[in-house]
Structures are given as C-alpha cells and as structure tokens.
Amino acid sequence: QVQLVESGGGLVQAGGSLRLSCAASGRTFSGYAMAWFRQAPGKDREFAATISRSGLTTDYADSVKGRFTISRDNAKNTVYLQMNSLKPEDTAVYYCAAGGYGLAVELYDYWGQGTQVTVSS
C-alpha cells in the first residue's frame, strides 16, 4: 500500500502561481511512476502530468504544457507540481497518483484525497 497526501492548493488570481506537493508513505516511493490528475466540477478526471520512477522522463497534457512542471524528490518521498501562469480553466481538484507511467487513469493504483485549486479571473 502507498498513502498519498496532497497539499499546496488554494485560491490564486489568474496569472499567478502555486506549487502542489504530494507526500508518499508506505511502499518504496521510487518504485512508482507518479502523476497529477485534475477534476473540475461536472467533468471527468483528466491527466495533467506524469513523471517516471527516476524522474528523468516527464509528460504533460497539452493544456498545461509550458506552464506546469512536475518533479520528484525520491529522498523525500515527495512529488511536486509547479503551476505558473494559471488560468481560470485550471480550477479543479488536483489528485496525486502512484502507479505505472502513462496518461490513463487506469495505470495508477494509489490516489490521494485531492487538493482544491481555484483560479479567479
């Protein structure tokens, strides 16, 4: 089992920045690819970013590419999502996930409870 706890969400104005963190405990953190997904009200959960076990490979949704950066610190069992140039359409609950590398929700076995990000216009 892997337990994931997100933090860092909040309310920010359009154009601002936030840094999300996800702390993992349980099984070996470095044995999992990590990802961030998000879910806006009334919409399906969608992929935002993923990072390989080593941290050397990343991938992003087109909607966040160039604005968001995913990173991880295996010594601290933590994955981060730096979000810059935020837009109102980035408003969602952001979820951290652990599992296999890729874009599909089904690849990830463990999920956090989510952290709310709200971007005002």
Side-chain angles (χ1 to χ4, degrees), residues 36-93:
W36 289 95
F37 287 77
R38 64 186 185 181
Q39 189 166 17
K43 295 189 176 181
D44 293 335
R45 191 168 299 188
E46 67 173 12
F47 166 78
T50 187
I51 188 166
S52 63
R53 291 177 294 174
S54 66
L56 295 178
T57 305
T58 58
D59 201 1
Y60 298 91
D62 288 344
S63 58
V64 308
K65 198 170 295 182
R67 301 188 297 121
F68 291 10
T69 302
I70 189 171
S71 61
R72 67 189 296 163
D73 186 337
N74 286 344
K76 294 183 178 180
N77 289 356
T78 303
V79 62
Y80 305 97
L81 186 68
Q82 178 67 45
M83 305 186 295
N84 299 328
S85 302
L86 283 161
K87 305 174 181 180
E89 51 264 43
D90 294 318
T91 295
V93 177

